[in-house]
Amino acid sequence: MKMFYELHSKNEQDLHLQRTIEIKEITRKRKRIETEEGKEKPKSKSVQYFLIVDGQRIQVCKKAFINVYNISNKKIRRLVDLLENNITPVDMRGKNISANTMPYEYCQKIYEHILSFPTKDTHYTTRLKNYLDPKLNVKTMHTMFIEKYPELEGKIKYQYYWEYFKNNFSLSFGAPVKDACSKCEELNTKIMSKDLNDVAKRVAAAELLVHKHRSKKFYNNIKKTIEISQQNKKVLGLCFDFMAVVDLPKIPVQEVYYYRQLSVNTFGIHNLNTNNLFCYVYHEATARKTPNDVCSFLVHYINSFVDDDVEELHLFCDNCAGQNKNHALLRMIMALVEIKKFKKVQVFFPQRGHSFLPCDRDFALIKKQLNRVDRLYTLEDYIELILKSSRNPEKFSVFLVDKSMIYDYQMWFPQFYIKNTNALECLSRNKTLKQRRTIEKFLISNYYYFECVSERCGIIKASEFIDGIISNHFKLRKNNAMLIQLPKTLVYTSSLPILESKMKDLKQLAKYILEPALQSFWNYIFSLQTETPQARQNRT
């Protein structure tokens, strides 16, 4: 019996049972008992049942055969009928095609029709999701499908179309746009306007096409850098940005909404090769969000975590002048090339409104984890939350910032570099007088790509567009400058003061912080100096 239950398929089991059944002619005929309904038909065959025990066949009755194999009488009848007709049992379950099954070519047409609708992907969200136009719905899509394939009217009903859409596509209607590009919105408004003529609309459409083409250059270079860095370890790509400010303490009390809290800053550097994020975390009394802080974080990361084998560095960041796109950062990368830390450094800036970076997706994971937590008291709690924001334990790394690592790059670079100059192309003697008068000055806001190479130290290449044909070169290094060194002067010699009004609000929240381990952090915060808004304005 053990052998029967070891058989996996129904065909094998039926064949085994059929072999243990024999059909023989009737050797002794008897009269059938007459009934009210009529005479019963005489038996035409005799069925015998056997069990195989230790290799021997033992005849048993039908009831014992059914109980031993735990099968139904209906199954016995089927096997006997097949055996009588000398037919091998074959399992036909699921082999018949249902009359309600939709033909493959119809399903293919539905699939292609749904794919024909343009989609938009999510922006600043943790989960990738595509959205259809908010003016659409499944009912409208089905109507358009019937209009395109009138021969399928009555065959593809709305209910089937809707179920196919639900089971085979993960699409929603409407796109939650955030931080949309102002230029795209302006040009789209012109294109859709009823007051403008066709010529003006065509001009706006052409401008929009060029603008989107230029914006894609930034993202294409990110993908290109990822591919190159994975194949060539001498190339490294970094994306960096500040995350939205986090307020401490975070407690589920309605009163907190009306109080100002301690601001915590997070500066993230995303490594395009490893896809990991390194976070620099600090509160407002430690440092600010100035070019000095950004340059110091970048140099600290390069010196601590970038291998000496790396020769080419690609940097990607947004156009924020107070943090990234400024003279201090560009002079810092020129100094890294001159001190032979790298042979080549490229800096890419996106078109305004198209500055979604890989680190923004990392920040979204942290924000998602923040929304799940109702209590957060100290920097240590926040750091622990960041480290647990991803299933990959190596995804996030955190460094607690100290004021002793922030150096003054804004006061440092005038010793070695000039601030403004004319392009070298304008100074060429081969230029005509009219061409020389068209002087190109070094205006950072006009350029979206910068490059420094070791073969031309002290000269920076600038282009108005990424991968643009026209570029200008500017010599920013002073001729009589001494041997260059990175700054050693600290920006912050003591803790930064907190506004008096904010300190008053923080002390009002102290009644919700009673644990000794938490009080040590907040006692330090309460011991800091305070200042008035007027004093801060005069200091800045």
Side-chain angles (χ1 to χ4, degrees), residues 227-328:
E227 295 174 357
I228 295 175
S229 61
Q230 291 176 350
Q231 299 174 359
N232 185 3
K233 298 302 180 182
K234 293 184 178 182
V235 179
L236 175 64
L238 300 178
C239 298
F240 56 93
D241 196 8
F242 275 99
M243 179 180 159
V245 174
V246 176
D247 294 327
L248 292 179
K250 180 184 180 182
I251 49 181
V253 180
Q254 185 178 11
E255 187 181 11
V256 176
Y257 178 80
Y258 302 98
Y259 288 150
R260 281 162 287 194
Q261 297 155 277
L262 185 69
S263 299
V264 177
N265 299 318
T266 306
F267 181 79
I269 300 178
H270 180 97
N271 190 313
L272 294 177
N273 189 9
T274 62
N275 198 30
N276 296 333
L277 184 75
F278 194 91
C279 299
Y280 290 87
V281 176
Y282 59 97
H283 56 73
E284 60 179 295
T286 303
R288 300 188 183 90
K289 298 167 67 174
T290 66
N292 293 325
D293 305 279
V294 173
C295 293
S296 299
F297 297 148
L298 285 172
V299 172
H300 179 271
Y301 182 86
I302 291 170
N303 291 334
S304 304
F305 306 105
V306 176
D307 296 335
D308 295 334
D309 297 335
V310 177
E311 298 179 352
E312 188 172 332
L313 180 65
H314 298 178
L315 298 177
F316 300 87
C317 56
D318 59 29
N319 290 281
C320 181
Q323 299 168 5
N324 310 322
K325 199 172 186 180
N326 50 64
H327 291 280

